[in-house]
Amino acid sequence: MEFFKKFILFLIFLLIFVSNLTAETIELRILYINDFHGFANPYKPLGSEKLLGGVSHLAEMVKKLRNEKPSIFLAAGDMIQGDNWANLFEGKSVIELMNAMEFDVMVVGNHEFDFGLEVLKQRILEARFPILGANVEGLELLKPYIIKEISDIKIAIVGIVTEDTPVSTHPKNVKGLTFLSPEKTVEKYIKELKSQVNIIIVLSHIGHYADRKLAEKIKGINIIVGGHSHTKIEKPILINETIVVQAWEHGKALGVLDLTLMDGKITKFEGYLKEISPEKIDAKISVKAIVDKYNEMVDAVLSEKIGVAQTDFDGENVRKKETNLGNFIADIIKKTAKADIAIINGGGIRASIKKGDITVKDIYSVLPFNNYIVAIKLTGKQIKEALEHGVSAIEKGEGRFPQVSGIKFSYNRDNKPGFRIQEVFIGEKPLELDKEYSVATNDFLAAGGDGYKVFGEAIKASKDFVIIGGVMKGQKVIYSDSSRYLRDVVVEYIKNEKIINYTTEGRITEIKD
Amino acid sequence: MRIFVNNKPVTLLPGMTVKHALIKAELLEEIEAGKKVYDEWGNELGLDGELAEGVKLFVRTKEINKFTK
């Protein structure tokens, strides 16, 4: 009997030993980028003297790494919107690029919705790779997941996007769509897929913070390839049994995750970010031709005549006094947000427009920053504080000097800062200090830029953001549309009006002692 | 949305990004001067990175480039 037990044990050990000898080791490579935002050309990031990115250089690196072992190439969302190279073609240029680079799959990001649903549908149809959105209901062209088979390994890729998409793009862009809980969606698909595949990847556009929570809570995810928070995860992170990665932004880094599998299970992983820089990699392949083609088209679009200025529009004196260009832009902001008044910083206006033809480039030079329109409820007292702040450094010509719409005020620079504002009228009526008014501005001032603290105070007091009538609203916030830059709103306005003529009209009056 | 920059609370609109948080905290100039912004786990963040309730950001001197290959 004892001999028999020993013999059985021996057979078991032999079986394990032989099966280990015969188990097939497979190597797979996952390449990934996220939050590309159409940055096809290399650029120097703020605070850096080094050129980074450049999609033709990225493509070269992808090609090299793909040739080394079986690979899949993933995009974790926010690919088609952002830089002019993408925006001027509503993302078509990026899809052409991604087709040429042979992406395997992409998840939709919140900014993919910024050009509206019809444009997004067109982009999905142009893509020669599937676009995922498992937690998006109402857009049939988005697939919940795909299953790829590489070297006999079955890989399920489930795509999820942030549930906050309706408040991070204009709500009209997602009308009719429902964004379900990413967590519950992933749980549902894991149940469905776990018996069918060897590896489950969640291609996520919910941000690194949410990715970590997902990995902590949900069992069965092998890998989360993330986006949305633009996080530079230089080495893969292991949370429970889930590998979490993300590759920064704008194609400045390529994520590489190498897997070793035995009997269809991941037994080893190693990953890193490969810096993408024109100094390191030559760009020789066909992707460069696409980049160059659209660069030329960008120039053509920027040179397009959109209207005629019947007078010179003054962008030189916007830090010192009311100008017709300041009035023009402030009026458009007020009208777009349907606000009582508008206050913007003169420093946000960076060039003049000469009398004659106006091109897109003229407007992009006037408004070079990626600002968008926000409107917030302020009391009359807060408006007066904002104006006091606006004229508090007029001697220095600082950018905080206001340009306004729907409001008239006078000031005396001989008084101390904080005591300069004299009379203020909203429309034709004197400002009431206790009354609330809706004030349109740009996101820079809304965030407290140029020292405008009153907007921040109002935001702090605003709770319970909801979507009413197609626009995000809070207790104090009545408008916020991050999906359209101010400059594009102005371009559209001029295209509609065709001829523009503006004067100064005594909105801002300086009183001397 | 309330987040923290260098341990100080900052309130922002939904949809605002790392850049807006730094404007609010008056730290964008430090990025222009070469500092970087990191999350609570030490990962560098891009300025257009989206935020979430309770996120902690830290602005500090750039670390040695950790790209490994």
Side-chain angles (χ1 to χ4, degrees):
Chain A
M1 190 64 185
E2 193 58 31
F3 172 78
F4 184 69
K5 274 184 183 173
K6 283 181 179 174
F7 182 68
I8 293 292
L9 274 174
F10 172 75
L11 282 179
I12 290 168
F13 283 124
L14 190 66
L15 193 65
I16 292 167
F17 181 71
V18 171
S19 66
N20 275 340
L21 278 181
T22 56
E24 196 183 0
T25 299
I26 292 170
E27 291 196 340
L28 286 181
R29 173 166 280 169
I30 297 166
L31 301 171
Y32 54 94
I33 64 168
N34 53 279
D35 298 286
F36 174 60
H37 285 289
F39 280 82
N41 295 293
Y43 72 96
K44 289 179 185 173
L46 189 69
S48 169
E49 281 306 304
K50 189 177 178 184
L51 271 177
L52 287 178
V55 76
S56 46
H57 309 284
L58 174 75
E60 188 85 348
M61 182 54 67
V62 169
K63 190 179 174 190
K64 179 177 173 287
L65 292 172
R66 263 182 164 163
N67 285 339
E68 290 175 0
K69 58 179 78 175
S71 303
I72 52 171
F73 187 22
L74 313 178
D78 277 7
M79 299 296 288
I80 70 169
Q81 176 277 351
D83 189 60
N84 289 341
W85 195 90
N87 292 357
L88 293 173
F89 314 103
E90 295 182 317
K92 186 179 172 67
S93 48
V94 177
I95 296 295
E96 189 173 331
L97 194 67
M98 292 177 76
N99 284 339
M101 291 171 76
E102 297 178 341
F103 274 82
D104 286 287
V105 62
M106 163 184 165
V107 66
V108 73
N110 52 303
H111 285 296
E112 258 71 65
F113 294 90
D114 282 352
F115 304 117
L117 267 185
E118 289 311 308
V119 172
L120 178 56
K121 285 178 189 171
Q122 188 56 40
R123 295 294 89 88
I124 295 171
L125 292 170
E126 286 161 5
R128 293 201 295 264
F129 49 87
I131 300 184
L132 308 179
N135 63 328
V136 184
E137 276 188 353
L139 183 51
E140 300 304 317
L141 291 172
L142 295 176
K143 296 177 189 308
Y145 64 85
I146 58 160
I147 296 177
K148 298 279 291 182
E149 192 166 345
I150 302 171
S151 308
D152 293 329
I153 297 295
K154 286 187 175 172
I155 307 166
I157 304 163
V158 182
I160 49 166
V161 61
T162 172
E163 213 174 349
D164 291 337
T165 298
V167 293
S168 53
T169 184
H170 193 289
K172 75 177 185 315
N173 296 332
V174 290
K175 197 177 173 190
L177 303 184
T178 306
F179 291 80
L180 305 171
S181 154
E183 198 178 299
K184 287 178 183 165
T185 304
V186 169
E187 254 181 330
K188 174 187 155 189
Y189 284 106
I190 285 178
K191 275 182 197 162
E192 184 180 326
L193 293 164
K194 66 181 178 188
S195 60
Q196 300 176 45
V197 299
N198 303 100
I199 300 174
I200 294 179
I201 299 176
V202 173
L203 192 55
S204 147
H205 194 82
I206 62 174
H208 183 58
Y209 326 99
D211 285 344
R212 294 181 79 104
K213 284 181 188 164
L214 196 66
E216 282 163 9
K217 275 190 168 179
I218 313 283
K219 285 184 179 173
I221 308 169
N222 297 104
I223 302 159
I224 298 176
V225 176
H228 193 49
S229 51
H230 297 220
T231 308
K232 188 177 176 184
I233 301 178
E234 306 202 33
K235 290 275 186 189
I237 299 162
L238 190 65
I239 298 175
N240 293 333
E241 292 176 352
T242 304
I243 303 162
V244 181
V245 295
Q246 192 173 147
W248 206 10
E249 60 177 3
H250 305 166
K252 293 183 290 191
L254 170 67
V256 185
L257 179 63
D258 287 333
L259 304 175
T260 304
L261 293 97
M262 201 174 280
D263 283 341
K265 308 268 182 211
I266 299 170
T267 54
K268 191 182 160 194
F269 69 91
E270 188 188 13
Y272 56 94
L273 294 183
K274 191 85 191 171
E275 186 180 80
I276 303 301
S277 149
E279 293 163 23
K280 289 189 175 173
I281 311 155
D282 288 335
K284 291 170 188 167
I285 61 173
S286 60
V287 166
K288 189 173 183 303
I290 297 171
V291 175
D292 291 345
K293 179 180 84 175
Y294 279 99
N295 279 343
E296 285 173 21
M297 287 167 71
V298 165
D299 289 341
V301 173
L302 291 179
S303 303
E304 181 194 340
K305 177 186 162 184
I306 53 170
V308 175
Q310 286 192 322
T311 186
D312 286 337
F313 279 71
D314 180 6
E316 293 297 315
N317 294 297
V318 286
R319 294 165 183 243
K320 297 179 201 163
K321 62 179 185 179
E322 173 193 350
T323 80
N324 61 344
L325 183 55
N327 288 350
F328 174 61
I329 293 167
D331 281 355
I332 292 173
I333 290 174
K334 172 178 169 284
K335 194 176 173 185
T336 304
K338 296 184 175 67
D340 297 322
I341 65 169
I343 301 174
I344 54 170
N345 53 326
I349 298 170
R350 291 299 173 124
S352 298
I353 302 171
K354 290 279 178 201
K355 183 179 174 183
D357 291 347
I358 307 170
T359 63
V360 178
K361 194 174 187 176
D362 291 329
I363 304 305
Y364 277 36
S365 302
V366 170
L367 299 165
F369 305 111
N370 294 345
N371 291 135
Y372 57 86
I373 299 172
V374 174
I376 297 168
K377 280 185 189 172
L378 297 182
T379 61
K381 185 171 177 280
Q382 287 174 315
I383 290 170
K384 195 175 175 207
E385 276 178 41
L387 295 175
E388 282 287 7
H389 176 72
V391 298
S392 63
I394 188 169
E395 303 85 352
K396 297 175 190 167
E398 289 196 359
R400 69 178 77 168
F401 187 83
Q403 298 293 323
V404 298
S405 173
I407 186 168
K408 286 181 184 175
F409 72 92
S410 57
Y411 71 95
N412 187 337
R413 74 163 72 199
D414 294 329
N415 291 352
K416 279 197 302 189
F419 299 93
R420 290 179 170 178
I421 296 298
Q422 307 293 302
E423 287 185 311
V424 183
F425 289 88
I426 305 292
E428 299 304 318
K429 293 180 181 172
L431 179 79
E432 293 177 45
L433 294 180
D434 294 330
K435 186 179 171 182
E436 260 192 345
Y437 300 89
S438 55
V439 183
T441 187
N442 58 46
D443 62 308
F444 176 71
L445 291 204
D450 273 347
Y452 276 88
K453 293 193 190 318
V454 290
F455 292 108
E457 286 164 11
I459 289 171
K460 206 170 173 179
S462 191
K463 308 234 183 285
D464 304 327
F465 293 96
V466 291
I467 296 160
I468 302 168
V471 179
M472 182 181 78
K473 294 184 180 186
Q475 200 178 9
K476 301 285 179 189
V477 179
I478 61 155
Y479 187 94
S480 177
D481 182 5
S482 62
S483 70
R484 274 203 311 170
Y485 293 144
L486 171 58
R487 57 171 175 259
D488 293 321
V489 175
V490 173
V491 165
E492 198 177 303
Y493 181 87
I494 296 171
K495 277 183 177 173
N496 288 333
E497 293 293 313
K498 293 184 176 61
I499 295 170
I500 56 167
N501 193 357
Y502 252 72
T503 56
T504 54
E505 50 189 33
R507 296 181 188 186
I508 304 173
T509 307
E510 181 172 1
I511 293 169
K512 307 252 181 190
D513 281 339
Chain B
M1 172 172 59
R2 196 164 86 131
I3 66 138
F4 298 86
V5 183
N6 288 351
N7 295 317
K8 288 181 183 166
V10 164
T11 306
L12 298 168
L13 285 177
M16 284 188 163
T17 61
V18 170
K19 179 186 74 182
H20 294 105
L22 299 182
I23 290 169
K24 192 74 180 280
E26 298 178 350
L27 289 170
L28 196 61
E29 288 83 0
E30 300 212 7
I31 303 298
E32 285 168 11
K35 286 190 179 177
K36 302 285 177 191
V37 56
Y38 298 88
D39 66 14
E40 62 190 280
W41 301 282
N43 302 306
E44 188 182 334
L45 299 171
L47 294 182
D48 294 332
E50 302 274 351
L51 299 166
E53 186 70 36
V55 158
K56 291 171 186 162
L57 306 180
F58 297 92
V59 175
R60 52 182 161 82
T61 310
K62 183 184 175 184
E63 290 187 340
I64 299 162
N65 192 335
K66 284 183 184 170
F67 282 110
T68 52
K69 293 201 179 181

PDB file of all heavy atoms in Angstrom, chain A residues 189-210:
ATOM      1  N   TYR A 189     -19.105  42.613 -18.626  1.00  0.00           N
ATOM      2  CA  TYR A 189     -18.397  41.984 -19.747  1.00  0.00           C
ATOM      3  C   TYR A 189     -17.354  40.967 -19.283  1.00  0.00           C
ATOM      4  O   TYR A 189     -17.050  40.026 -20.014  1.00  0.00           O
ATOM      5  CB  TYR A 189     -17.802  43.054 -20.670  1.00  0.00           C
ATOM      6  CG  TYR A 189     -18.880  43.677 -21.517  1.00  0.00           C
ATOM      7  CD1 TYR A 189     -19.356  44.954 -21.264  1.00  0.00           C
ATOM      8  CD2 TYR A 189     -19.482  42.948 -22.552  1.00  0.00           C
ATOM      9  CE1 TYR A 189     -20.383  45.505 -22.021  1.00  0.00           C
ATOM     10  CE2 TYR A 189     -20.509  43.485 -23.305  1.00  0.00           C
ATOM     11  CZ  TYR A 189     -20.960  44.760 -23.042  1.00  0.00           C
ATOM     12  OH  TYR A 189     -21.975  45.283 -23.793  1.00  0.00           O
ATOM     13  N   ILE A 190     -16.817  41.144 -18.081  1.00  0.00           N
ATOM     14  CA  ILE A 190     -15.885  40.132 -17.567  1.00  0.00           C
ATOM     15  C   ILE A 190     -16.622  38.803 -17.409  1.00  0.00           C
ATOM     16  O   ILE A 190     -16.114  37.738 -17.801  1.00  0.00           O
ATOM     17  CB  ILE A 190     -15.234  40.588 -16.247  1.00  0.00           C
ATOM     18  CG1 ILE A 190     -14.179  41.638 -16.564  1.00  0.00           C
ATOM     19  CG2 ILE A 190     -14.584  39.408 -15.520  1.00  0.00           C
ATOM     20  CD1 ILE A 190     -13.499  42.210 -15.362  1.00  0.00           C
ATOM     21  N   LYS A 191     -17.823  38.878 -16.843  1.00  0.00           N
ATOM     22  CA  LYS A 191     -18.624  37.653 -16.685  1.00  0.00           C
ATOM     23  C   LYS A 191     -18.846  36.974 -18.024  1.00  0.00           C
ATOM     24  O   LYS A 191     -18.763  35.759 -18.163  1.00  0.00           O
ATOM     25  CB  LYS A 191     -19.986  37.998 -16.063  1.00  0.00           C
ATOM     26  CG  LYS A 191     -19.961  38.058 -14.557  1.00  0.00           C
ATOM     27  CD  LYS A 191     -21.343  38.362 -14.013  1.00  0.00           C
ATOM     28  CE  LYS A 191     -21.234  38.837 -12.579  1.00  0.00           C
ATOM     29  NZ  LYS A 191     -22.422  39.531 -12.137  1.00  0.00           N
ATOM     30  N   GLU A 192     -19.133  37.795 -19.025  1.00  0.00           N
ATOM     31  CA  GLU A 192     -19.442  37.261 -20.358  1.00  0.00           C
ATOM     32  C   GLU A 192     -18.201  36.690 -21.059  1.00  0.00           C
ATOM     33  O   GLU A 192     -18.285  35.688 -21.765  1.00  0.00           O
ATOM     34  CB  GLU A 192     -20.056  38.395 -21.200  1.00  0.00           C
ATOM     35  CG  GLU A 192     -20.511  37.973 -22.585  1.00  0.00           C
ATOM     36  CD  GLU A 192     -21.107  39.145 -23.367  1.00  0.00           C
ATOM     37  OE1 GLU A 192     -21.751  40.028 -22.760  1.00  0.00           O
ATOM     38  OE2 GLU A 192     -20.905  39.154 -24.594  1.00  0.00           O
ATOM     39  N   LEU A 193     -17.040  37.320 -20.818  1.00  0.00           N
ATOM     40  CA  LEU A 193     -15.871  37.001 -21.637  1.00  0.00           C
ATOM     41  C   LEU A 193     -14.862  36.055 -20.994  1.00  0.00           C
ATOM     42  O   LEU A 193     -14.069  35.432 -21.685  1.00  0.00           O
ATOM     43  CB  LEU A 193     -15.143  38.309 -22.006  1.00  0.00           C
ATOM     44  CG  LEU A 193     -15.910  39.251 -22.930  1.00  0.00           C
ATOM     45  CD1 LEU A 193     -15.297  40.646 -22.901  1.00  0.00           C
ATOM     46  CD2 LEU A 193     -15.911  38.707 -24.359  1.00  0.00           C
ATOM     47  N   LYS A 194     -14.883  35.943 -19.665  1.00  0.00           N
ATOM     48  CA  LYS A 194     -13.766  35.265 -18.987  1.00  0.00           C
ATOM     49  C   LYS A 194     -13.581  33.808 -19.406  1.00  0.00           C
ATOM     50  O   LYS A 194     -12.451  33.317 -19.425  1.00  0.00           O
ATOM     51  CB  LYS A 194     -13.867  35.400 -17.472  1.00  0.00           C
ATOM     52  CG  LYS A 194     -15.038  34.712 -16.832  1.00  0.00           C
ATOM     53  CD  LYS A 194     -15.008  34.953 -15.333  1.00  0.00           C
ATOM     54  CE  LYS A 194     -16.224  34.299 -14.701  1.00  0.00           C
ATOM     55  NZ  LYS A 194     -16.355  34.638 -13.287  1.00  0.00           N
ATOM     56  N   SER A 195     -14.667  33.152 -19.779  1.00  0.00           N
ATOM     57  CA  SER A 195     -14.512  31.750 -20.177  1.00  0.00           C
ATOM     58  C   SER A 195     -14.108  31.606 -21.653  1.00  0.00           C
ATOM     59  O   SER A 195     -13.738  30.535 -22.105  1.00  0.00           O
ATOM     60  CB  SER A 195     -15.827  31.006 -19.945  1.00  0.00           C
ATOM     61  OG  SER A 195     -16.842  31.606 -20.728  1.00  0.00           O
ATOM     62  N   GLN A 196     -14.155  32.717 -22.379  1.00  0.00           N
ATOM     63  CA  GLN A 196     -13.882  32.638 -23.817  1.00  0.00           C
ATOM     64  C   GLN A 196     -12.450  33.005 -24.195  1.00  0.00           C
ATOM     65  O   GLN A 196     -12.009  32.732 -25.302  1.00  0.00           O
ATOM     66  CB  GLN A 196     -14.792  33.615 -24.577  1.00  0.00           C
ATOM     67  CG  GLN A 196     -16.277  33.380 -24.425  1.00  0.00           C
ATOM     68  CD  GLN A 196     -17.041  34.481 -25.163  1.00  0.00           C
ATOM     69  OE1 GLN A 196     -16.704  34.832 -26.287  1.00  0.00           O
ATOM     70  NE2 GLN A 196     -18.055  35.019 -24.528  1.00  0.00           N
ATOM     71  N   VAL A 197     -11.742  33.723 -23.288  1.00  0.00           N
ATOM     72  CA  VAL A 197     -10.451  34.295 -23.681  1.00  0.00           C
ATOM     73  C   VAL A 197      -9.367  34.020 -22.637  1.00  0.00           C
ATOM     74  O   VAL A 197      -9.658  33.604 -21.519  1.00  0.00           O
ATOM     75  CB  VAL A 197     -10.578  35.834 -23.881  1.00  0.00           C
ATOM     76  CG1 VAL A 197     -11.568  36.178 -24.980  1.00  0.00           C
ATOM     77  CG2 VAL A 197     -10.965  36.536 -22.578  1.00  0.00           C
ATOM     78  N   ASN A 198      -8.113  34.284 -23.036  1.00  0.00           N
ATOM     79  CA  ASN A 198      -6.991  34.131 -22.110  1.00  0.00           C
ATOM     80  C   ASN A 198      -6.695  35.416 -21.340  1.00  0.00           C
ATOM     81  O   ASN A 198      -6.283  35.372 -20.179  1.00  0.00           O
ATOM     82  CB  ASN A 198      -5.719  33.736 -22.889  1.00  0.00           C
ATOM     83  CG  ASN A 198      -5.905  32.479 -23.688  1.00  0.00           C
ATOM     84  OD1 ASN A 198      -6.129  32.529 -24.897  1.00  0.00           O
ATOM     85  ND2 ASN A 198      -5.853  31.350 -23.015  1.00  0.00           N
ATOM     86  N   ILE A 199      -6.850  36.548 -22.029  1.00  0.00           N
ATOM     87  CA  ILE A 199      -6.504  37.835 -21.404  1.00  0.00           C
ATOM     88  C   ILE A 199      -7.672  38.808 -21.592  1.00  0.00           C
ATOM     89  O   ILE A 199      -8.263  38.866 -22.677  1.00  0.00           O
ATOM     90  CB  ILE A 199      -5.246  38.447 -22.075  1.00  0.00           C
ATOM     91  CG1 ILE A 199      -4.040  37.524 -21.939  1.00  0.00           C
ATOM     92  CG2 ILE A 199      -4.924  39.827 -21.515  1.00  0.00           C
ATOM     93  CD1 ILE A 199      -2.818  38.004 -22.708  1.00  0.00           C
ATOM     94  N   ILE A 200      -7.959  39.562 -20.529  1.00  0.00           N
ATOM     95  CA  ILE A 200      -8.948  40.643 -20.655  1.00  0.00           C
ATOM     96  C   ILE A 200      -8.238  41.980 -20.423  1.00  0.00           C
ATOM     97  O   ILE A 200      -7.624  42.204 -19.373  1.00  0.00           O
ATOM     98  CB  ILE A 200     -10.119  40.482 -19.664  1.00  0.00           C
ATOM     99  CG1 ILE A 200     -10.924  39.221 -20.028  1.00  0.00           C
ATOM    100  CG2 ILE A 200     -11.024  41.727 -19.693  1.00  0.00           C
ATOM    101  CD1 ILE A 200     -12.103  38.934 -19.108  1.00  0.00           C
ATOM    102  N   ILE A 201      -8.297  42.830 -21.443  1.00  0.00           N
ATOM    103  CA  ILE A 201      -7.740  44.186 -21.342  1.00  0.00           C
ATOM    104  C   ILE A 201      -8.899  45.165 -21.287  1.00  0.00           C
ATOM    105  O   ILE A 201      -9.827  45.078 -22.089  1.00  0.00           O
ATOM    106  CB  ILE A 201      -6.861  44.525 -22.576  1.00  0.00           C
ATOM    107  CG1 ILE A 201      -5.676  43.569 -22.690  1.00  0.00           C
ATOM    108  CG2 ILE A 201      -6.373  45.972 -22.508  1.00  0.00           C
ATOM    109  CD1 ILE A 201      -4.816  43.786 -23.941  1.00  0.00           C
ATOM    110  N   VAL A 202      -8.849  46.085 -20.338  1.00  0.00           N
ATOM    111  CA  VAL A 202      -9.813  47.194 -20.343  1.00  0.00           C
ATOM    112  C   VAL A 202      -9.096  48.403 -20.943  1.00  0.00           C
ATOM    113  O   VAL A 202      -8.074  48.854 -20.417  1.00  0.00           O
ATOM    114  CB  VAL A 202     -10.335  47.507 -18.923  1.00  0.00           C
ATOM    115  CG1 VAL A 202     -11.188  48.775 -18.946  1.00  0.00           C
ATOM    116  CG2 VAL A 202     -11.149  46.334 -18.395  1.00  0.00           C
ATOM    117  N   LEU A 203      -9.609  48.860 -22.067  1.00  0.00           N
ATOM    118  CA  LEU A 203      -9.078  50.055 -22.719  1.00  0.00           C
ATOM    119  C   LEU A 203      -9.930  51.206 -22.187  1.00  0.00           C
ATOM    120  O   LEU A 203     -11.103  51.333 -22.519  1.00  0.00           O
ATOM    121  CB  LEU A 203      -9.200  49.902 -24.239  1.00  0.00           C
ATOM    122  CG  LEU A 203      -8.454  50.889 -25.120  1.00  0.00           C
ATOM    123  CD1 LEU A 203      -6.971  50.954 -24.802  1.00  0.00           C
ATOM    124  CD2 LEU A 203      -8.656  50.541 -26.599  1.00  0.00           C
ATOM    125  N   SER A 204      -9.309  52.005 -21.332  1.00  0.00           N
ATOM    126  CA  SER A 204     -10.098  52.886 -20.468  1.00  0.00           C
ATOM    127  C   SER A 204      -9.839  54.358 -20.739  1.00  0.00           C
ATOM    128  O   SER A 204      -8.677  54.793 -20.812  1.00  0.00           O
ATOM    129  CB  SER A 204      -9.735  52.547 -19.008  1.00  0.00           C
ATOM    130  OG  SER A 204      -9.804  53.678 -18.196  1.00  0.00           O
ATOM    131  N   HIS A 205     -10.906  55.124 -20.814  1.00  0.00           N
ATOM    132  CA  HIS A 205     -10.748  56.587 -20.863  1.00  0.00           C
ATOM    133  C   HIS A 205     -11.524  57.175 -19.683  1.00  0.00           C
ATOM    134  O   HIS A 205     -12.452  57.961 -19.859  1.00  0.00           O
ATOM    135  CB  HIS A 205     -11.230  57.155 -22.201  1.00  0.00           C
ATOM    136  CG  HIS A 205     -10.769  58.563 -22.405  1.00  0.00           C
ATOM    137  ND1 HIS A 205      -9.510  58.894 -22.865  1.00  0.00           N
ATOM    138  CD2 HIS A 205     -11.367  59.754 -22.150  1.00  0.00           C
ATOM    139  CE1 HIS A 205      -9.380  60.198 -22.904  1.00  0.00           C
ATOM    140  NE2 HIS A 205     -10.490  60.750 -22.469  1.00  0.00           N
ATOM    141  N   ILE A 206     -11.127  56.756 -18.487  1.00  0.00           N
ATOM    142  CA  ILE A 206     -11.805  57.247 -17.277  1.00  0.00           C
ATOM    143  C   ILE A 206     -10.817  57.925 -16.318  1.00  0.00           C
ATOM    144  O   ILE A 206     -11.220  58.414 -15.277  1.00  0.00           O
ATOM    145  CB  ILE A 206     -12.567  56.110 -16.549  1.00  0.00           C
ATOM    146  CG1 ILE A 206     -11.609  55.011 -16.063  1.00  0.00           C
ATOM    147  CG2 ILE A 206     -13.635  55.506 -17.450  1.00  0.00           C
ATOM    148  CD1 ILE A 206     -12.297  53.935 -15.207  1.00  0.00           C
ATOM    149  N   GLY A 207      -9.532  57.963 -16.659  1.00  0.00           N
ATOM    150  CA  GLY A 207      -8.531  58.604 -15.810  1.00  0.00           C
ATOM    151  C   GLY A 207      -7.860  57.617 -14.872  1.00  0.00           C
ATOM    152  O   GLY A 207      -8.462  56.617 -14.461  1.00  0.00           O
ATOM    153  N   HIS A 208      -6.613  57.942 -14.508  1.00  0.00           N
ATOM    154  CA  HIS A 208      -5.810  57.011 -13.716  1.00  0.00           C
ATOM    155  C   HIS A 208      -6.402  56.745 -12.332  1.00  0.00           C
ATOM    156  O   HIS A 208      -6.329  55.631 -11.812  1.00  0.00           O
ATOM    157  CB  HIS A 208      -4.386  57.558 -13.582  1.00  0.00           C
ATOM    158  CG  HIS A 208      -3.468  56.642 -12.840  1.00  0.00           C
ATOM    159  ND1 HIS A 208      -3.220  55.347 -13.242  1.00  0.00           N
ATOM    160  CD2 HIS A 208      -2.755  56.829 -11.700  1.00  0.00           C
ATOM    161  CE1 HIS A 208      -2.397  54.782 -12.380  1.00  0.00           C
ATOM    162  NE2 HIS A 208      -2.093  55.650 -11.449  1.00  0.00           N
ATOM    163  N   TYR A 209      -6.996  57.797 -11.744  1.00  0.00           N
ATOM    164  CA  TYR A 209      -7.573  57.641 -10.400  1.00  0.00           C
ATOM    165  C   TYR A 209      -8.688  56.596 -10.447  1.00  0.00           C
ATOM    166  O   TYR A 209      -8.774  55.714  -9.591  1.00  0.00           O
ATOM    167  CB  TYR A 209      -8.113  58.994  -9.914  1.00  0.00           C
ATOM    168  CG  TYR A 209      -7.286  60.142 -10.414  1.00  0.00           C
ATOM    169  CD1 TYR A 209      -7.663  60.891 -11.528  1.00  0.00           C
ATOM    170  CD2 TYR A 209      -6.070  60.442  -9.792  1.00  0.00           C
ATOM    171  CE1 TYR A 209      -6.857  61.908 -12.017  1.00  0.00           C
ATOM    172  CE2 TYR A 209      -5.264  61.454 -10.275  1.00  0.00           C
ATOM    173  CZ  TYR A 209      -5.663  62.185 -11.386  1.00  0.00           C
ATOM    174  OH  TYR A 209      -4.863  63.176 -11.865  1.00  0.00           O
ATOM    175  N   ALA A 210      -9.524  56.705 -11.460  1.00  0.00           N
ATOM    176  CA  ALA A 210     -10.635  55.755 -11.612  1.00  0.00           C
ATOM    177  C   ALA A 210     -10.117  54.373 -12.036  1.00  0.00           C
ATOM    178  O   ALA A 210     -10.678  53.344 -11.628  1.00  0.00           O
ATOM    179  CB  ALA A 210     -11.640  56.279 -12.628  1.00  0.00           C
TER     180      ALA A 210
END
